[in-house]
Amino acid sequence: MLLKYFYDPKLAHASYLVGCQKTKEAVVVDPGRDIDQYLETAKREGVKLTAVAETHIHADYVSGARELADRVGAKLYVSDEGPAEWKYKYAAQYESQLLKDGDTFLIGNIQFQVMHTPGHTPESISFLLTDQGGGATEPMGIFTGDFVFVGSIGRPDLLEEAAGIKGSAEAGAHQLFHSAERFKQLPDYLQLWPAHGAGSACGKGLGAIPSSTVGYEKRFNPALQYDDETAFVQYILSDQPEAPKYFAVMKRVNKEGPVIIGDAGLPEFFEPAQIEVIRDQATLLDLSPSAEFSQAHVPGTMNIPLSMLAGWAGWLVDYSKPLYLITEADTLAEAVRVLQKIGIDDQLLGAFRRSEVVTQELATENYPVESPSELAPRIEANEVKLIDVRADSEWNASHIPQAEHRFLGRLPEHLTEIKCSQPIVVQCQSSARSAIAASLLQAAGLDVINLAGGFLAWQAAGLPSTSTAQDPVTCSPGSIKACSLEK
């Protein structure tokens, strides 16, 4: 048997190629949209990709299942569990087998047995793998998808938080408890192969180790220590990371079937003068490093550095509007690849070379970046409005007393609520996310300053901080007086 591991650190996504070396057949489990990596590995290992197996309809990235089915004729093995609204609508277009609990299928001499594990999503399944070609009669491992992770378990609230399906979070939590109880009955020796690692928003506290065993997780995974259903439900629904709003888009795309990429080329570079033509109808996204963007950029543009694109484009880019990039030729391919993974493809209509934009003097706007020591007196005197764009967990742990909390991922939804005649200082943990926020606020017509080094630099300077336990008020009296928030 052949087992190959693929990991996309930008999406914290793990996928697997399993091959039967006797029959030269292979399957990819939970593939990403960038399928060339699987095709190249299969060719190198001398096997043919004949199948795709998915544990569920993914919400955090565009699946590569349809791409493989369309381009190489791979047979789809997908879930037929759960309610009617969570069935694969495109599966009938290709050779496919819809799976229920207890079903089995073979890839060469390798058997996959289906185990329905609802909770993260209603249709979620896991695959128990048995290498019959090697003489085994019992499974050696389990592909758990987003059900059990190393050190964690899949969150049950995404359908409610991201897709807006009311009441599904608690119902999913109860399902997840029973799935976990069933998982605990599996043999300890089974290897565990999950679909995500540390940094994924599909659960809390995911470990960075790529694999584990059922026995180890039964002993040390916090979510698997609960025998009481009520206590488990309370635990699993608390302190989950923010659910990116693009997850709802991904669920729909992966259910209905993503657009086939095929051999599509890169978007066209346009002359900088065209910026004036498309500015009001489209999103202009500058992928420059924030230090470069802060010094000179086109007015009205949003800045997400290429290194942060996978993590924040899904939160901040409007999927309903045309999108144009400001970047260079040597980074365009990588940017397109990242955007395609989160379902931004039809919207991407073109690009502009940043060097040409600057040369033709279209990058006429900038914003200051100032240190904590420079800004602290002004913050204390309420001469500026301070906005903290970190996650809830960071804010709750500790924050600057005068700050107002506005999580970056939700900032576009609340821009019209922020009214201020004073400069706005934006701050995060290190100043990277606040630089993105600065571009959004400035594009909305506000006067912005980025706090250099963020909260870490503020603390290092010995400046005061507080926590929600000590001070539940999110805005100081002075800041409320200076700046109004529309309800």
Side-chain angles (χ1 to χ4, degrees):
M1 188 188 83
L2 175 71
L3 176 61
K4 292 292 184 179
Y5 173 75
F6 301 84
Y7 192 72
D8 184 342
K10 292 180 178 179
L11 294 173
H13 166 227
S15 55
Y16 305 84
L17 184 148
V18 183
C20 176
Q21 292 169 304
K22 289 186 177 180
T23 64
K24 305 299 183 183
E25 299 170 76
V27 59
V28 182
V29 180
D30 287 331
R33 203 176 191 187
D34 182 9
I35 68 168
D36 288 342
Q37 58 186 330
Y38 310 122
L39 298 175
E40 290 166 3
T41 299
K43 182 179 180 180
R44 185 170 62 249
E45 298 293 339
V47 294
K48 180 182 179 181
L49 280 182
T50 61
V52 178
E54 279 210 316
T55 55
H56 65 296
I57 300 172
H58 293 276
D60 55 314
Y61 66 91
V62 177
S63 164
R66 187 184 187 191
E67 193 78 20
L68 282 165
D70 194 86
R71 285 175 59 181
V72 301
K75 182 176 179 178
L76 299 171
Y77 292 94
V78 295
S79 177
D80 195 30
E81 294 283 5
E85 60 268 27
W86 291 111
K87 305 293 185 183
Y88 286 79
K89 291 187 176 182
Y90 70 91
Q93 301 173 27
Y94 304 95
E95 184 183 6
S96 59
Q97 182 175 336
L98 303 181
L99 304 171
K100 289 189 178 293
D101 186 68
D103 287 348
T104 62
F105 61 91
L106 290 171
I107 304 299
N109 296 312
I110 302 168
Q111 183 193 72
F112 289 76
Q113 181 179 350
V114 177
M115 179 177 172
H116 185 209
T117 50
H120 176 66
T121 60
E123 81 287 357
S124 175
I125 55 178
S126 297
F127 299 114
L128 290 156
L129 181 148
T130 302
D131 183 12
Q132 295 181 342
T137 57
E138 296 180 1
M140 68 177 295
I142 181 170
F143 293 101
T144 53
D146 290 14
F147 167 38
V148 176
F149 302 119
V150 177
S152 186
I153 196 167
R155 61 192 295 182
D157 63 325
L158 283 181
L159 294 182
E160 184 162 339
E161 292 296 319
I165 303 176
K166 299 299 182 184
S168 59
E170 186 168 350
H174 286 282
Q175 287 183 322
L176 194 59
F177 173 79
H178 293 287
S179 294
E181 289 299 295
R182 188 179 179 191
F183 176 86
K184 293 176 186 178
Q185 305 307 310
L186 295 173
D188 286 358
Y189 63 79
L190 289 180
Q191 295 182 57
L192 184 140
W193 303 302
H196 289 292
S200 170
C202 290
K204 58 180 178 180
L206 277 68
I209 299 171
S211 65
S212 182
T213 64
V214 168
Y216 190 88
E217 295 308 309
K218 282 156 63 171
R219 291 187 65 184
F220 298 111
N221 189 318
L224 299 178
Q225 307 312 306
Y226 290 87
D227 295 322
D228 180 77
E229 185 169 350
T230 301
F232 173 86
V233 169
Q234 182 178 2
Y235 163 79
I236 203 65
L237 291 178
S238 65
D239 301 321
Q240 290 287 0
E242 290 81 359
K245 62 182 181 180
Y246 82 94
F247 277 19
V249 178
M250 294 301 92
K251 269 289 184 184
R252 177 184 54 77
V253 166
N254 286 328
K255 179 174 66 173
E256 297 177 356
V259 173
I260 301 301
I261 300 173
D263 297 321
L266 296 176
E268 178 185 357
F269 274 106
F270 291 98
E271 291 298 318
Q274 292 297 309
I275 286 177
E276 294 300 325
V277 178
I278 58 94
R279 184 198 301 270
D280 295 334
Q281 292 80 35
T283 299
L284 279 169
L285 176 57
D286 193 320
L287 306 182
S288 306
S290 58
E292 184 178 325
F293 181 88
S294 67
Q295 295 175 9
H297 55 265
V298 176
T301 53
M302 174 168 54
N303 174 222
I304 305 178
L306 181 59
S307 62
M308 302 175 73
L309 191 61
W312 291 105
W315 279 104
L316 304 173
V317 170
D318 186 343
Y319 279 65
S320 67
K321 292 180 64 175
L323 175 68
Y324 293 82
L325 304 179
I326 297 178
T327 187
E328 298 296 348
D330 60 349
T331 54
L332 181 60
E334 174 63 11
V336 170
R337 190 178 72 88
V338 170
L339 292 172
Q340 286 176 336
K341 290 181 180 182
I342 56 173
I344 299 175
D345 34 42
D346 286 350
Q347 307 94 317
L348 182 53
L349 301 185
F352 299 92
R353 291 180 175 84
R354 179 172 167 85
S355 55
E356 294 180 355
V357 169
V358 172
T359 299
Q360 296 192 26
E361 299 183 350
L362 295 174
T364 58
E365 197 167 56
N366 59 65
Y367 64 78
V369 180
E370 299 182 15
S371 68
S373 59
E374 291 174 301
L375 287 170
R378 299 180 67 189
I379 292 171
E380 180 65 27
N382 295 313
E383 294 175 359
V384 294
K385 177 182 179 65
L386 177 63
I387 294 180
D388 184 329
V389 299
R390 296 177 301 163
D392 289 348
S393 58
E394 296 170 295
W395 166 266
N396 291 336
S398 191
H399 57 265
I400 300 170
Q402 294 85 359
E404 173 186 308
H405 186 216
R406 293 277 180 172
F407 171 57
L408 173 59
R410 303 292 182 192
L411 193 58
E413 303 167 26
H414 302 289
L415 286 173
T416 57
E417 299 174 4
I418 301 174
K419 291 187 175 182
C420 193
S421 58
Q422 299 170 303
I424 295 177
V425 176
V426 280
Q427 161 256 313
C428 64
Q429 196 75 352
S430 67
S431 76
R433 285 170 289 172
S434 57
I436 298 174
S439 73
L440 294 171
L441 291 166
Q442 189 176 51
L446 297 166
D447 185 9
V448 296
I449 304 168
N450 192 15
L451 178 64
F455 188 67
L456 292 175
W458 182 273
Q459 287 183 309
L463 294 166
S465 62
T466 186
S467 70
T468 53
Q470 297 168 314
D471 175 17
V473 180
T474 56
C475 300
S476 68
S479 67
I480 292 175
K481 182 184 296 184
C483 309
S484 65
L485 288 176
E486 291 183 344
K487 301 299 183 184

